[in-house]
Amino acid sequence: MAIYEILASSTSEIQGITCFIIQLFIAEAMFFFHLKKRKRFWLRLLVGGTACLLLGVTLPIVIGQYISGIRTFIVLVFMQLYMWFCFRRSFLDILFCTIGAFTVQNLGSNIQVLICIVTKTSFKMLSTEMVIGFTIVYIICYLTCAAKIKNFPNISQNRVRVLWVAIISLCVCWLLQSWLISEKLDMVMACRVPFAFCCILSLFIQFGLLEQSRLNEENLALEQLIKENAKQYELSKKTVEIINMKCHDLKHRILELEQAGNADHGQLEEIRKAVDIYDGLAKTGCQPLDIILSEKNLLCEKYQIKFSYMIDGEKLTGIKAGDIAAIFGNALDNAIECAAELPVEKRIISLIGYARQDVMGIHIENYCEDELEFRNGLPVSTKGDDNYHGFGMKSIQYVVEKYGGNLVANLEEKIFSVDIIFPVLD
């Protein structure tokens, strides 16, 4: 039988596959909208889309005359190649998104059928029920699943388990769909409800594992950052101790010169004031905090920043030195980085610690003329620098929450503030 004769006798099937492919196009657009595009994207989109539509409609019908049950598989292969042709992501990343789009389309189809069953209307590929069902499903799935793709620059890297789960989910949905159609149970509610639930569960597992993988990787990175903070604290401790020893020796030398009477007293006074800057070790009752404050105080002197602090460090004795360095070191580094870019009269940083019963509070504030957006309670710069107050702030939050505390960041009237509160530990 000639190809044109096969196609001429399959008008309704052509309409069904065309509608299926268009639904997939829309679902794919939800997942791929945020991804980096290849050169000549719009030309690729037009040419590839036309080829995908023509081949995706004709080949399944022709091959289906000889092999049944592979229509969906053929369309998915073409859709996978089409997306890879248009977007600059790895083949496996595109496979993950294509599987997600197929599952969403399947869920929309199931909801459409269920609406038809409930309203007792006949099933049509193009109908009000289709528009209602797919619109609801696509909006919900975009907000809960597809929109998250932009947060993953590399989905498949070190996430083989997530990809395999997605592939297995695709196979399960495909087999269930083929079985329903072959047994003519596709319009039975008792069969469609579990199938719709299977699609929802598949999306939940696929994107739930992806999000869990991201959180695990972020926590590992934060732990590594905290370890680096602890190492940096040890280096700072040694440096501050050496500086204090040298300052102590210099003061003795200045005293000897004064007693000898053969030196200019004005010059010696200037030298003494300079030495006092480096000899001013903070004394809060917590050695790790003293080291951090002393080091940051020297940085503030360098950038002409007025740095004031008032805190009872004895309330922090239950916190590890590395964690104290992560909290105060990162917070003050962010404040110094911001203040150093301001006019001299606005280079002010304030740190206040207070204790009320069994609760310790910390308030750090500085001028900030940058425009900030807040994501998940933490600031993100609108100037394109996503690391501004970024990973450092996450590490502070991570450490604070580890001790049962809470962190709140705020920008109001050009004043950026960080408030931390946690229970006092013995």
Side-chain angles (χ1 to χ4, degrees):
M1 193 175 188
I3 293 177
Y4 72 88
E5 293 177 345
I6 296 174
L7 295 176
S9 62
S10 307
T11 305
S12 61
E13 192 172 357
I14 289 175
Q15 291 177 349
I17 296 178
T18 303
C19 190
F20 168 61
I21 292 175
I22 292 172
Q23 291 166 357
L24 261 182
F25 275 157
I26 298 171
E28 295 278 4
M30 289 165 41
F31 283 88
F32 287 88
F33 176 76
H34 298 288
L35 302 189
K36 192 171 183 179
K37 302 167 182 63
R38 293 186 184 274
K39 293 180 179 179
R40 300 183 182 87
F41 170 75
W42 293 108
L43 179 61
R44 288 173 177 268
L45 191 71
L46 179 62
V47 174
T50 303
C52 184
L53 184 60
L54 291 175
L55 293 173
V57 170
T58 56
L59 280 183
I61 294 175
V62 174
I63 296 176
Q65 298 293 316
Y66 309 98
I67 305 173
S68 61
I70 63 168
R71 184 187 74 175
T72 301
F73 177 77
I74 293 173
V75 171
L76 281 175
V77 169
F78 284 126
M79 196 64 70
Q80 169 73 8
L81 295 173
Y82 174 40
M83 292 297 107
W84 182 74
F85 179 68
C86 293
F87 294 92
R88 293 185 61 185
R89 291 292 286 264
S90 71
F91 193 81
L92 293 179
D93 279 8
I94 290 174
L95 177 60
F96 180 90
C97 294
T98 300
I99 291 171
F102 167 76
T103 308
V104 170
Q105 187 279 333
N106 237 311
L107 179 58
S109 179
N110 279 284
I111 297 301
Q112 178 190 355
V113 172
L114 289 173
I115 292 174
C116 290
I117 294 173
V118 171
T119 58
K120 297 180 180 179
T121 55
S122 59
F123 178 82
K124 296 178 181 178
M125 290 301 296
L126 294 172
S127 62
T128 303
E129 291 80 8
M130 186 207 75
V131 174
I132 294 173
F134 275 87
T135 300
I136 293 172
V137 169
Y138 279 19
I139 290 174
I140 293 174
C141 288
Y142 174 76
L143 295 174
T144 57
C145 299
K148 296 179 180 179
I149 292 295
K150 62 183 178 182
N151 299 325
F152 298 91
N154 196 327
I155 297 171
S156 58
Q157 185 177 11
N158 301 324
R159 296 189 178 101
V160 177
R161 183 183 63 161
V162 176
L163 191 60
W164 272 111
V165 167
I167 294 172
I168 292 171
S169 299
L170 170 66
C171 294
V172 170
C173 289
W174 180 25
L175 291 172
L176 278 174
Q177 182 184 19
S178 300
W179 177 77
L180 285 176
I181 294 172
S182 65
E183 296 295 326
K184 297 181 180 180
L185 298 172
D186 49 320
M187 292 300 293
V188 178
M189 179 175 284
C191 295
R192 279 291 179 177
V193 170
F195 190 26
F197 178 76
C198 181
C199 291
I200 294 171
L201 183 62
S202 175
L203 287 170
F204 178 79
I205 294 173
Q206 183 178 348
F207 286 88
L209 284 176
L210 184 64
E211 181 66 18
Q212 186 61 48
S213 173
R214 183 189 69 80
L215 291 175
N216 289 340
E217 290 170 5
E218 187 173 281
N219 287 341
L220 286 174
L222 290 173
E223 288 284 1
Q224 184 61 35
L225 182 60
I226 292 168
K227 289 179 181 179
E228 293 298 323
N229 285 330
K231 291 179 181 178
Q232 182 60 42
Y233 160 73
E234 292 298 329
L235 290 174
S236 298
K237 179 181 176 183
K238 292 177 181 179
T239 302
V240 170
E241 287 175 350
I242 291 171
I243 289 174
N244 284 327
M245 288 173 58
K246 295 298 182 182
C247 287
H248 185 70
D249 293 340
L250 279 172
K251 282 186 175 182
H252 277 291
R253 182 59 180 158
I254 291 169
L255 184 60
E256 289 175 1
L257 290 171
E258 284 181 335
Q259 290 174 350
N262 56 357
D264 187 299
H265 287 283
Q267 290 182 350
L268 288 177
E269 188 60 29
E270 288 182 10
I271 295 172
R272 181 183 284 107
K273 288 180 180 179
V275 171
D276 286 340
I277 293 173
Y278 294 94
D279 193 33
L281 180 65
K283 294 178 175 61
T284 65
C286 175
Q287 188 188 32
L289 180 59
D290 293 343
I291 299 296
I292 297 299
L293 293 180
S294 299
E295 181 189 32
K296 303 310 174 187
N297 195 41
L298 293 177
L299 274 176
C300 288
E301 288 287 343
K302 175 182 177 181
Y303 293 111
Q304 296 180 288
I305 299 171
K306 295 179 181 178
F307 176 37
S308 63
Y309 55 87
M310 183 174 65
I311 182 170
D312 181 4
E314 292 182 357
K315 301 295 184 181
L316 301 172
T317 53
I319 300 178
K320 294 179 180 178
D323 291 337
I324 290 176
I327 295 172
F328 290 93
N330 283 306
L332 291 174
D333 280 342
N334 287 337
I336 291 170
E337 181 183 351
C338 182
E341 298 177 356
L342 298 175
V344 175
E345 64 273 12
K346 292 185 177 181
R347 296 180 186 179
I348 302 172
I349 300 173
S350 172
L351 184 155
I352 298 174
Y354 55 90
R356 294 175 183 172
Q357 295 181 350
D358 294 330
V359 176
M360 179 72 182
I362 299 164
H363 176 83
I364 303 173
E365 69 176 35
N366 59 276
Y367 280 104
C368 178
E369 295 185 348
D370 290 338
E371 294 179 3
L372 299 177
E373 291 180 357
F374 285 77
R375 186 183 301 160
N376 298 325
L378 298 180
V380 178
S381 175
T382 58
K383 292 185 175 181
D385 180 9
D386 290 337
N387 290 323
Y388 180 88
H389 287 284
F391 222 59
M393 287 293 291
K394 287 183 180 180
S395 67
I396 298 171
Q397 186 179 55
Y398 180 78
V399 172
V400 169
E401 290 179 351
K402 185 170 73 172
Y403 288 94
N406 189 35
L407 179 148
V408 176
N410 187 42
L411 177 63
E412 187 174 348
E413 297 181 356
K414 304 290 185 181
I415 300 293
F416 179 78
S417 62
V418 176
D419 287 281
I420 299 169
I421 188 169
F422 48 76
V424 175
L425 304 173
D426 296 327

